[in-house]
Amino acid sequence: MSSRAPSDGTGHDEELVERWYDDEERSLLLRYLRLSGGDEFQLAAVEVATPAVRRALLAWLRERLPDRSWFEVSLKGLPGVAVRDEIVARLPPPDERGPRMVLVLTDLEETAGAALESHPSFFMRLNLERDPLVRDLPLTCLLLAHPAALLKLRLVAPDFCHYFSTLIRQRALGEGATLEGTGRTPAPTPSLSPSGWLELSDSEWPTLLRAADHAMACGEIDRARDHLAEFRATNDAGEWGAEAGLLAAALAGSTDGAKAGLAVLESLPEVDSGQHVAAAVRGLLLRAGFERESGRREAADIALQRAIAIAETSARSDLRAAVLKARAAQLANGGSIDEALAILVGVQGFCASTGRAREAWDAAYQVAKLRFTRGEWASVIDLCERELMPNARSLHDQRLAAIATGLRASVLEARGDLDEALRIRREEELPVYERLGDVRARAVSLGEIADVLEARGDLDEALRIRREEELPVYERLGDVRSRAATLGKIADVLEARGDLDEALRIWREEELPVYERLGDVRERAVILGKIAEVLQARGSLDEALRILRNEVMPCFERLGLRREAAIAQGNLGVVLSRKGRVAEALTQLERARDELDSLGAIRDQIDLRIGLSQIHWRANNHKGALRESQAALSRAEAQREPSYLARALRNMIPLLLALGQTDEARTAFDRATTILAEDAHWDTLKQVDPLGDTIARAAAPRPKPSSKGRRIR
C-alpha cells in the first residue's frame, strides 16, 4: 500500500504544481504540514485532478519537507464496510510510524472513479465512522481527491468534512489546456444536479456554492440554506456575491414563491453584463421565470428578450444555447410547439457539434417531452432508445439514464401497458436514485409508481405511498410546493374512491392556498379546474360554470397556454350540455376542437372528439356523433397508438350498433385490430376483444318464434 513517486529531477513536477496551484494555496499546504504535530488527527483536503498531478504534488512536497515520512493508502480499493479498520490494517504498527509521518489518502482523482459512481456507501461510512477515525488515527493526514469527489463527499458526509483543517483548491484550467499525462482536454466537471447553472458560469464555482446548487436542485432546502450561510463566511463571498445572490433568489422562489424570488432579485446590485455576462443572463432567466409564474407575461417576455440580447452580443455560445432553450419553453407554453421543437433541435445539434454532450442530451430530452405532450409516443420511444439512453451511458451518468428510463415508462403508462410501466419504475428507475442517495428523486419516483397503481385501480397502495413514503420526504425537505402537489394527488385518489368531500377540502384548504401564497397562477387554475369537475359531478353546475368561465379559462389565456385553455373550453362545453344548453355547448366544444387541431395534440384531439360525439348523440344528432367518432378513430389509426385505438373503438362500436350498422362496426373493428396485431399490441387486443363478441351477437340472426301452438287442456 505504501508507494513513492520520485521526482524526475527536471523541474517538471514543480512546473506542474505551479500550474495547478497558485502561490497562496501552495503556501497554505506547506504551512499546514510544517505545523501539524502528528500527535492528533488532523486532515487537509486537496483538490487533485489526475493521478499525474497527484504524483507531481507528492514529489514536490517530499522535496520541500524532507523531515516528513509519507505513507499512501488507496481509498479506491477499500470495500467500504468498516473504513476505520481497513485503513488501520494497512498502516505500520504505531511504534513504527513516527511523529512526522503523513498519511496520504489517494486514488479519488478520476471523476469516473469511486467518487462519482452510483454507490455512495464509502462516503457514508466515512460519515458514520468519523469519531473512531479521529480516535484511532492520531496522524497528520492528506486527502487527495478530484473537486467533484470532494463536493460529493461534502454532500454525503458533511459531519466528516467538519474535520477538514484546510481545503487546498486547484486553479481553473484555461481553455485549450490539457490534462497532464493524458494529452486530453479536461472534460467539464460533471454537474451533480439538474440545475444547469454550473455549466453557465464565468469561471469554476467554489465548492460551497456547488454544494448549495446541488442541494437546492434536489429539493434539500435546509441543506441549501446551510451551504449558502457557510459560503458567506468564506473569503470567496465578496468575489462570488452575484452568484450567491442568484442562488438565494432561486431558493426563495422555490420555497416562498415567485414574489419572494423577485424580491431577492430586486435587492441585489445590478450585475455588470460586461464583466459577468453569465451571471447577468442567469439573473434575467430567473426573473423571466418568476414573472411568468406570477402571471406577468409581458414582464417575463421583456426579461427573456434582455437575456437573449446579452447572450447574442457575447462570445459565449453556451449562453446563446441556454437562452434559446428558454425561448423554446416560452413558445411551447404558448402552444407554438413546432417552432419550439425546431429551436431545440438546432440547440441539440449545436451542442453535439461543439462537444457539449450533456447540454445536447438535455436538449434532446426537452424535445422528447414536447413530443410526449403532443401524444407522439412512438417518436418518444425512438428518441429514448436511439439517443437518450445511449448518450446517458456514454456520459457515465446513471441519473440521466434513469430519467430517460422514466420517460419511456411514462409512454408505456399512457399507452395502457401498466404492468411493464410499473416494472420499469420499480426495477430500473427507482433503484438508481436509491443507490445515489437522492431522497428527493426517490420520492418523485415513488410518486410515479403511485400514479401507475392508481391507474390500475390499486387505490389503497397508491394512497399509502403518497401518505407514508412521498409526503414525509417533502415535509422533511421543506419543499412546500411538492408537498402541496402530493396532497393534491392524495385528493385525486380520494375522488376516485368517491370521497368527494375530503378531496374538495384538500384542494380548497391545503393545496390551493399554497399556490396562492406562492403566486403560482397556473397551478391555481389547474386546481380550480379539478374543483369544477367535482362540482359538475355533484350537480353544482352553476358554480362549476362560473369557475371555468371566470377563473380557469381567463388565466390560461392570459398566460398564453393555448392547450390548457382549449381543454378548459371543452370542459366548459360539457357543463353547458348538462345544463341543457346544447347549442352553446357545441359551439364551445367545436372551438376547442379546432384549437387543439391547430396545436397538433393528437391525444387531446381524440379525447375531445369522443366527448363531442357523445353530446351530439344525446342531442339525437346521430350524423354529427358518427362524424366526430369516425374522425377520432381515423386519427387513432393514423397514429397506430394502442390506447388511442382502444378508446376510439369503445366509443365508435356502440354508436354503430345502436344504429343497426353491424357491417360498418365489423369493418371498423377489423381494421383497428389488424393494426394492433401487426404492431404486436397483444394486451390491447385482449382488452378490445369483447367488442368483437358484441358485434357478433348483434349480427347473429334472431331466432324465429316457434310455430307450434299451445296445447289447450
Side-chain angles (χ1 to χ4, degrees), residues 20 27 153-154 188 201 203 313 319 556 583 614 626 635 653 707:
W20 280 89
S27 298
L153 181 64
R154 192 175 192 92
S201 58
S203 56
T313 56
L319 295 179
F556 290 144
Q614 291 169 354
L626 283 178
R635 280 164 170 75
I653 298 303
S707 59

Side-chain angles (χ1 to χ4, degrees), residues 441-505:
R442 178 181 182 274
V444 172
S445 185
L446 284 168
E448 291 167 337
I449 288 171
D451 290 339
V452 181
L453 292 170
E454 185 178 343
R456 294 177 71 183
D458 193 349
L459 301 182
D460 290 341
E461 179 61 10
L463 196 59
R464 186 199 67 77
I465 289 174
R466 302 267 191 230
R467 286 173 166 167
E468 298 178 15
E469 299 198 61
E470 189 179 5
L471 188 64
V473 171
Y474 299 134
E475 292 175 336
R476 188 168 66 251
L477 294 175
D479 188 342
V480 293
R481 184 187 300 276
S482 296
R483 177 184 180 275
T486 304
L487 285 170
K489 291 188 175 183
I490 289 172
D492 293 342
V493 177
L494 294 173
E495 180 195 12
R497 293 173 66 172
D499 193 350
L500 301 184
D501 289 339
E502 180 61 9
L504 275 176
R505 187 199 66 78

Side-chain angles (χ1 to χ4, degrees), residues 255-257 259 480-481 483-485 487-488 503-521 523-525 527-528 531:
T255 56
D256 300 319
K259 292 180 181 178
V480 293
R481 184 187 300 276
R483 177 184 180 275
L487 285 170
L504 275 176
R505 187 199 66 78
I506 291 175
W507 285 329
R508 283 171 165 167
E509 299 178 15
E510 299 202 55
E511 188 175 15
L512 193 62
V514 171
Y515 297 136
E516 290 175 338
R517 187 174 71 251
L518 294 177
D520 191 335
V521 293
E523 289 303 319
R524 177 181 181 273
I527 299 308
L528 286 172
I531 290 172

